[in-house]
Structure formats: C-alpha cells, structure tokens
Amino acid sequence: MRYRRVTWRASMEMVEARNLPGHIGIIMDGNGRWAQTRGEPRAAGHRQGASAVRRTVRVARRLGLRALTLYAFSEQNWARPEEEVDALMQLLRDFLLSEREEILDNGIRLNAVGNLGRLPAIVRAVLDPLRQDSERNHQMTLTLALSYGGREEIAHAARQLAKAVAAGDLRPEDVTAEALHAQIPSLSVGDPDLVIRTGGERRISNFLLYGLAYAELYFADVLWPDFSERDLFAAIASYQKRQRRYGLVGSHGADGVNGSAEHRSADAPLVAAAGPITRIAI
C-alpha cells in the first residue's frame, strides 16, 4: 500500500500517521489567566476554553486517535467560588448540547469519569443520554474527566478490591497491579501514551495518576483558550522523537518503542486525515 505525503497547513511540524499516540490526555490549564490578561471575567476564559475543546476534538478525530481524555473539572474545583462553578456547569451543559449531533455523526463515543454523582441535574440530564446514545460508536472515545481526581480514583479501585477480598470472591494474592488497573475507569481505553499540559505549569495535578507510569509528558506554555492545531501537532511531533523503553534498554525499531527521528524509515507516512469529518471544515 502506498502512502501519500501531505503537509498540515496549520503547522510546520510533520508527524507520522503510523506512529501516533493511541491515547492522549490533556490538562487544560489557563482559562482564568487568559481572561485576566484581557481584563475580562474568568467566565470569558472558560467560554474560549470550550472553543479550544471543540477544535482539539475535531483534529484528534481527523487524525484518527483512538482516545482523547480531557481534564475538564477536578474534585478540588468544587472549592472555587459558587458563581464560577455554576458558570462552568452551565457551560458544560451548553457544550454537550451543541456538540451532540457532531459527536454522534462522527462515530465518537462520549465517556465520563470521576465522581459524577456530584454533577448537577442540569448536566446529568444531557450527559447521561449522550453517553448512552454514543456507546456503540468506535471511531474515537472522548472522555471527560468531571469531578475527577487521580488519587480518589485509585482509592475507589482499592476499595472495590478490598470488598471482593472481604466477600471471599478474591484472594489477597490476587490483588495485583493488573487487578487494580482493571478497576480504574479512566484506563478503560488503555493507559495514556501522551499527556499534555497547557498554561506553562510543570505538574500533573492529580490527573490519570495510575496510568501515567510510562506516559510521555509534554508541557506547553500556551494558555488553553489559545491551544491550536499547531500546538497539538508540536506535542505529537515531540512524542514521536522519543523512545519509550518501559524500563528496558532501548532498541531502535522494536515493537512498542518509538524510534528517534534519524532512525525512522524515509518511507514512513506523514500525517494524513483519518477521513473527512461530517459537516466540518478544518
């Protein structure tokens, strides 16, 4: 099969179509600072952040990524001013309503992880039906981490295993790393290959902690509302230049290990869209 080499008009970066990360997680940071630098209320930054989500999901789907997990609202975010929390919940509801048709039309399965019981009824009323209606889609899984915390997720998984041991359904020696992994909802699509954080901070902030064991990390200075196709491609290009050793000695060209740029085949396909997206012109 012959591959056509193409360029991506939004970026100078070139990425390989067959060496893409399967699962990307993004810590979307910088909405508040984006608004403050413009003398606008924080809610304005969150609205622009929603536009960045829309752009990123479209590009991820066009690239053919298997899974995209977005850190939308943490357990700790509930401590923010009530007015800001209410605005965020309304914005989340509006986003789900406006994107419903596009998600369904483009084969995207919507998932959500976190303490979803804390979400207000106005959000659950649109989130739950969309999750159900899209559950048979398989082109890409979009996971929203809502009322989410990595430590809290691990603790909940540990409690589930402890209950199974106490009930006699599981032996203590069967409590393994793999058994714990199977109880963690955010990893139902597999461990993240690449985690991106915007906003210039260099920390993980309680995101996908168990799955981060061997993930590649990429920190971008751009504030989330300004995150563009160019920035996503820069992150993926950085990922493709690294070797993933998983604690082993690197071996260029070995399965499961990214080869460095100079060791890649000259015939490796450069990025191409996974196919046209219904009603979308990027």
Side-chain angles (χ1 to χ4, degrees):
M1 180 177 180
R2 295 184 63 83
Y3 293 91
R4 178 169 56 92
R5 287 178 176 259
V6 298
T7 58
W8 183 263
R9 67 178 177 80
S11 176
M12 295 298 292
E13 297 287 357
M14 304 287 282
V15 298
E16 293 180 76
R18 70 182 180 195
N19 190 28
L20 294 169
H23 179 191
I24 292 180
I26 304 181
I27 302 171
M28 305 179 295
D29 188 22
N31 289 348
R33 282 175 286 157
W34 184 93
Q36 289 169 358
T37 59
R38 289 161 174 77
E40 299 182 22
R42 291 176 61 86
H46 295 312
R47 285 194 296 271
Q48 289 298 318
S51 296
V53 169
R54 186 175 296 108
R55 288 194 302 270
T56 302
V57 171
R58 289 175 175 180
V59 176
R61 168 65 181 86
R62 184 174 179 182
L63 281 171
L65 299 187
R66 174 174 52 81
L68 177 67
T69 299
L70 303 178
Y71 201 4
F73 193 84
S74 75
E75 274 280 80
Q76 291 68 40
N77 287 158
W78 291 111
R80 290 187 177 186
E82 183 177 355
E83 180 180 347
E84 181 175 355
V85 171
D86 289 345
L88 282 166
M89 291 299 112
Q90 185 62 53
L91 185 61
L92 174 58
R93 172 185 167 84
D94 293 345
F95 175 83
L96 293 170
L97 287 171
S98 66
E99 301 306 302
R100 175 184 170 85
E101 186 176 354
E102 192 165 301
I103 286 172
L104 295 176
D105 286 350
N106 289 287
I108 297 173
R109 180 172 74 92
L110 181 71
N111 190 25
V113 295
N115 187 2
L116 303 182
R118 293 192 70 178
L119 297 175
I122 62 166
V123 172
R124 294 298 298 269
V126 293
L127 174 64
D128 294 344
L130 184 50
R131 291 178 67 190
Q132 181 176 354
D133 292 344
S134 66
E135 65 182 358
R136 295 185 182 276
N137 291 349
H138 61 273
Q139 295 300 316
M140 184 180 82
T141 297
L142 170 62
T143 301
L144 301 180
L146 301 166
S147 189
Y148 174 86
R151 286 181 173 178
E152 290 82 355
E153 184 179 47
I154 293 170
H156 181 268
R159 284 195 298 272
Q160 296 302 109
L161 293 180
K163 289 177 182 178
V165 171
D169 298 328
L170 195 68
R171 299 176 302 169
E173 56 267 31
D174 292 330
V175 179
T176 62
E178 292 74 20
L180 187 59
H181 188 288
Q183 294 292 328
I184 295 180
S186 67
L187 306 183
S188 64
V189 292
D191 291 351
D193 298 299
L194 171 65
V195 170
I196 302 167
R197 180 176 185 137
T198 64
E201 304 290 353
R202 268 61 176 168
R203 56 179 177 269
I204 297 167
S205 295
N206 206 20
F207 182 55
L208 301 182
L209 292 184
Y210 202 76
L212 276 177
Y214 289 104
E216 297 295 325
L217 305 180
Y218 182 88
F219 299 101
D221 291 330
V222 61
L223 300 177
W224 175 249
D226 292 327
F227 191 80
S228 66
E229 298 96 333
R230 181 188 299 271
D231 298 306
L232 180 60
F233 268 58
I236 294 174
S238 175
Y239 166 87
Q240 292 184 334
K241 294 173 184 175
R242 307 180 191 183
Q243 278 203 340
R244 305 185 72 194
R245 299 184 179 88
Y246 301 98
L248 305 175
V249 176
S251 175
H252 294 302
D255 290 342
V257 179
N258 291 351
S260 59
E262 62 269 28
H263 288 275
R264 294 199 188 99
S265 168
D267 295 326
L270 299 183
V271 70
I277 300 180
T278 305
R279 302 185 296 103
I280 296 175
I282 298 179

